[in-house]
Amino acid sequence: MEGAHALPVRVYYEDTDFSGFVYHASYLRFMERGRTELLRGLAGDQSDLHRDADGLVFVVRRMEIDYLKPARMDDALTVLTGTRELRGASMHLTQAVCRGEEILVRAEVVVACVRAGRAIRLPDSLRRALSRPA
């Protein structure tokens, strides 16, 4: 994923199940951190966006995940997050959790921009930041 935001993650005991492999839901947390850090790097804290944009929040609308290979405790992973497409009120992101060059988990994520329970257009400043090549 050329130009993607990269977040290093270490696998801890709490991320694994009784078999010693990373529990499937732990990857969701890793990817959430990746999306959060992507936005933080482009637009600052989500709490600032929420305050400055009169209650704007981001919600996962859709996620498609392929679990390809397992990770284990103490593995050093990287969460890659890139913009695939921007629409009016949503961003379509591609994410991958990797161990070195090996892709363990791949996901397509649609994140909606919402205020007071209703979809709203992505702020222009965020749209520009997400559209910039890395």
Side-chain angles (χ1 to χ4, degrees):
M1 290 177 50
E2 192 172 320
H5 175 273
L7 175 70
V9 174
R10 174 71 65 181
V11 176
Y12 295 109
Y13 179 77
E14 66 188 18
D15 301 317
T16 63
D17 60 19
F18 70 93
S19 70
F21 292 109
V22 171
Y23 183 63
H24 74 278
S26 295
Y27 293 106
L28 297 176
R29 290 194 313 273
F30 299 160
M31 289 186 284
E32 176 68 29
R33 292 177 204 158
R35 292 190 303 275
T36 298
E37 293 303 321
L38 168 71
L39 289 174
R40 184 186 318 278
L42 295 173
D45 293 346
Q46 286 189 46
S47 55
D48 292 342
L49 273 171
H50 178 76
R51 182 190 63 242
D52 296 343
D54 298 322
L56 173 144
V57 294
F58 298 102
V59 296
V60 173
R61 183 176 176 278
R62 184 176 160 287
M63 185 177 249
E64 184 177 320
I65 304 172
D66 289 319
Y67 297 95
L68 305 171
K69 297 181 180 181
R72 292 190 169 99
M73 193 167 71
D74 291 328
D75 279 354
L77 307 177
T78 303
V79 179
L80 300 174
T81 305
T83 305
R84 192 178 104 214
E85 180 182 7
L86 298 174
R87 293 202 176 163
S90 65
M91 43 188 156
H92 298 228
L93 306 172
T94 299
Q95 292 192 278
V97 179
C98 303
R99 183 177 46 226
E101 298 295 316
E102 183 178 38
I103 297 174
L104 306 180
V105 175
R106 190 175 30 225
E108 297 292 327
V109 187
V110 177
V111 177
C113 186
V114 175
R115 180 184 298 131
R118 301 188 67 98
I120 63 166
R121 185 170 171 75
L122 286 167
D124 289 336
S125 59
L126 181 58
R127 185 178 297 282
R128 282 190 301 274
L130 286 165
S131 297
R132 256 185 263 136

